[in-house]
Amino acid sequence: MPAARFEELVGDALDLVPAELARAIDNVVVLIEPRNPEDPHLLGLYHGIALTERDSHYGGSLPDTITIYRDAILDICGDETEVVEEVAVTVIHEIAHYFGIDDARLHELGWG
């Protein structure tokens, strides 16, 4: 899959976030990388301070990052339909971490 098409799918997945939640996202950058160098099978990663953990000392912080790992996702998908679904799940999963939702709860909700 061309990189531009994958980027489009990430954008489409971001568009799935309900408007009221999207408006609450602040100081977050979404990146696309081939793989996580420490865990090549990782599909996505949220790095930052969850909204639920921010306090008065948060101001002036560098942006949080959500990184989506293209090659890791492509490795586990058999066709574009699967890629579309996996990108959506991964993007929503990482955004949920921004809102302070942990992996256990995401699995319960079907976004694991």
Side-chain angles (χ1 to χ4, degrees):
M1 171 178 290
R5 174 66 177 136
F6 192 89
E7 289 176 21
E8 183 180 308
L9 295 178
V10 171
D12 291 347
L14 289 167
D15 289 343
L16 296 174
V17 177
E20 61 274 10
L21 292 179
R23 284 191 297 273
I25 298 173
D26 184 43
N27 205 31
V28 178
V29 175
V30 177
L31 306 170
I32 299 170
E33 297 290 338
R35 290 191 191 281
N36 180 298
E38 296 172 16
D39 184 353
H41 302 292
L42 193 64
L43 305 181
L45 179 66
Y46 168 74
H47 181 73
I49 300 171
L51 195 59
T52 55
E53 297 176 15
R54 294 180 184 185
D55 59 19
S56 61
H57 299 295
Y58 179 76
S61 297
L62 291 173
D64 294 2
T65 58
I66 291 174
T67 307
I68 307 301
Y69 297 108
R70 180 184 57 248
D71 292 348
I73 290 175
L74 295 176
D75 284 351
I76 65 166
C77 296
D79 58 28
E80 185 165 327
T81 301
E82 289 180 10
V83 176
V84 169
E85 182 177 325
E86 191 56 54
V87 167
V89 168
T90 303
V91 167
I92 298 300
H93 181 105
E94 300 310 328
I95 288 173
H97 286 319
Y98 167 83
F99 285 105
I101 302 171
D102 66 17
D103 282 329
R105 182 67 180 137
L106 284 168
H107 283 279
E108 289 172 14
L109 296 170
W111 292 98

